[in-house]
């Protein structure tokens, strides 16, 4: 599929003859037509929203939750102008385009200063990969308050399909305001550092049983909130773009009566394989093709359930939507809301929800375009994950004994661009300077029974090995290991990732659970600093820092967490 082009195209596609068979999407892209600019204008505000019937304080883009869909073709330029209109109280903000390889990834305190209240910033970046992704705030835990939206970049097909259903955002949902949650997460009471979600949503919808409100909760709540519904066509192949846009939960996705064929993990097309259930850690995307049942006229339940403890924590783990083949199959309640079909979940799905904390085995997830792993990387770093209580009684996550904390006024990338690559007075920035090494292997060790979806900015990392216990040194599929930008490290387990140093920058490597990175589970990968010094960073970056300095000169920023999420 291609998106909105009115000029003649060589071979009929913007990407010309390039396919997943002959092109590494992570490489440089020369377009078959002049680059088009896809422009978007976003205004961030506070609003009252009730996606599940419970009215709560939210952060929204253009008064929408989820935020608007961004669409482009592979190689297009995406330009997003963001207006920060957050008030009562005012806050900084900043958006991150998840999985994009851009030279300056937008993360407050790492690559840019926050956009101050009343400020405007225009992001311009190349759609350098294709497939399914999302964007979200990376300022404190704002995205848990609603600042999330889908992004689709159209590119070559690997497996034919008839209908693009579009993105399905799967997200845990909290009724409390995000800053209240962070106050608990960053507190001294160990019983409050891992808040349980109140509900689970599919594309921002799912009903909440208002009788389950806590005693004393006076929020407006209306039962019978509508589910998301999706039209299927009998006998046709449907592409569904799954995105875990939650704050804490591992999601388990399935469609009653239908088998799914996995065709992509994150931005990487894979050799297709069939499954009844898809597991997504936060930030992960999985594209599937679903064959419509021949002659079908009925409706089926779509399920996304939050994995049971200890994988995740939720008081309302089950989200449902409807796949229907005919309008007549949609049955309505007395209030006119579609009622859920009484179809039966796959046994594989039920078992996975109860016991599965891991992604699919690496032996199943082979990229379509093969890239062999360097057996002897230029450098290797071992990083141990831990949970500590500091001298003041606060509970923090650490990586190699350091809990990260951003300095919003001094982004690491801008300092490196000026030649400052040593931070002796700021160990909490947790910078790992890998110098000019051509390849980097990172071996993560997790001795606790808690899972972490690990995300690396700026790269599709090769996932060499993962599992429970101690790594034995073996690489899974060494001639073509899985590549993606988020991978779950299991509780009491290990994760070994590797990447070529082909993208100079200051790249966050962190857990994508909002509460964990808020509490410091983060390092900065400083890649090729000698080349960072040569980057021509737009002047608007420095101007945004000056604007932020003006704001913080008169306003004390209540940064109670690491500053990132």
């Amino acid at each position: 599929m291609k998106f909105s082009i009115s000029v003649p195209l060589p071979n009929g596609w913007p990407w010309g003859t390039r396919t997943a068979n002959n092109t590494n999407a992570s490489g440089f892209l020369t377009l078959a037509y002049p680059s088009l600019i896809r422009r978007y204008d976003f205004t961030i505000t506070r609003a009252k929203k009730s996606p599940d019937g419970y009215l709560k304080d939210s952060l929204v883009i253009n008064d929408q939750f989820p935020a608007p869909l961004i669409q482009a073709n592979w190689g297009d330029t995406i330009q997003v102008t963001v207006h920060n209109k957050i008030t009562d109280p005012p806050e900084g903000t900043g958006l991150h385009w998840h999985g994009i390889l851009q030279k300056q990834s937008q993360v407050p305190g790492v690559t840019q200063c926050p956009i101050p209240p009343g400020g405007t910033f225009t992001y311009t970046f190349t759609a350098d990969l294709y497939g399914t992704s999302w964007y979200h705030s990376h300022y404190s835990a704002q995205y848990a308050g609603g600042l999330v939206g889908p992004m689709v970049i159209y590119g070559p097909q690997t497996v034919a399909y008839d209908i693009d259903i579009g993105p399905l955002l799967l997200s845990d949902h909290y009724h409390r305001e995000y800053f209240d949650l962070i106050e608990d997460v960053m507190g001294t009471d160990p019983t409050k550092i891992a808040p349980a979600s109140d509900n689970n949503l599919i594309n921002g919808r799912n009903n909440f049983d208002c009788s389950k409100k806590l005693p004393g909760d006076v929020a407006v709540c209306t039962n019978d909130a509508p589910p998301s519904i999706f039209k299927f066509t009998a006998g046709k192949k449907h592409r569904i773009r799954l995105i875990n846009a939650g704050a804490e939960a591992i999601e388990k996705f399935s469609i009653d009566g239908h088998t799914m064929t996995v065709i992509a993990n994150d931005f990487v097309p894979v050799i297709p394989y069939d499954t009844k259930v898809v597991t997504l850690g936060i930030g992960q995307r999985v594209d599937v093709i679903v064959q419509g049942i021949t002659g079908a006229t009925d409706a089926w339940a779509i399920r996304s359930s939050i994995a049971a403890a200890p994988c995740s924590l939720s008081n309302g783990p089950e989200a449902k939507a409807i796949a229907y083949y005919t309008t007549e199959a949609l049955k309505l309640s007395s209030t006119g809301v579609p009622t859920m079909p009484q179809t039966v979940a796959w046994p594989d799905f039920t078992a996975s929800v109860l016991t599965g904390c891991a992604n699919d085995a690496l032996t199943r997830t082979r990229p379509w375009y093969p890239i062999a792993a360097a057996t002897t990387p230029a450098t290797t770093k071992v990083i141990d994950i831990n949970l500590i209580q500091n001298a003041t009684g606060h509970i923090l996550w650490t990586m190699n004994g350091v809990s990260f904390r951003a300095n919003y006024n001094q982004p690491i990338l801008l300092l490196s661009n000026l030649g400052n690559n040593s931070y002796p007075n700021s160990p909490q920035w947790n910078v790992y300077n890998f110098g000019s090494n051509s390849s980097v292997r990172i071996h993560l060790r997790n001795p606790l029974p808690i899972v972490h979806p690990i995300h690396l900015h700026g790269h599709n990392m090769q996932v060499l090995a993962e599992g429970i216990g101690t790594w034995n040194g073996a690489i899974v599929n060494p001639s073509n290991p899985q590549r993606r930008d988020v991978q779950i490290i299991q509780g009491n387990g290990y994760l070994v990732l590797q990447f070529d140093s082909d993208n100079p920058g200051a790249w966050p490597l962190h857990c994508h659970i909002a509460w964990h990175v808020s509490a410091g589970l983060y390092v900065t990968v400083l890649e090729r600093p000698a080349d960072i010094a040569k980057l021509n960073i737009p002047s608007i970056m420095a101007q945004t820092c000056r604007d932020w300095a003006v704001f913080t000169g008169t306003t004390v920023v209540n940064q109670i967490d690491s500053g990132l999420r």
Side-chain angles (χ1 to χ4, degrees), residues 436-452:
S436 59
N437 284 290
S438 59
S439 58
V440 176
R441 178 177 294 176
I442 297 177
H443 176 190
L444 293 154
R445 301 188 298 201
N446 178 24
L448 302 174
I450 300 172
V451 301
H452 303 283

Side-chain angles (χ1 to χ4, degrees), residues 76-97:
D76 280 347
T77 296
I78 298 174
Q79 191 173 91
V80 185
T81 298
V82 177
H83 310 280
N84 180 358
K85 301 296 184 184
I86 302 173
T87 58
D88 300 322
E91 292 183 30
T93 195
L95 297 184
H96 168 54
W97 320 101

Side-chain angles (χ1 to χ4, degrees), residues 190-213:
T191 67
K192 295 182 178 181
I193 65 170
S197 58
D198 297 292
N199 205 352
N200 196 24
L201 309 180
I202 298 176
N203 274 0
R205 292 187 171 191
N206 194 36
N207 185 54
F208 175 72
D209 182 354
C210 296
S211 68
K212 294 182 178 180
K213 287 201 311 178

Side-chain angles (χ1 to χ4, degrees), residues 383 399 442 454-456 497 507-511 521-523 525:
I383 298 178
M399 300 185 84
I442 297 177
I454 299 296
H455 174 41
L456 175 63
L497 60 93
W507 301 117
L509 173 70
H510 62 88
C511 175
L521 212 167
Y522 170 105
V523 299
V525 172

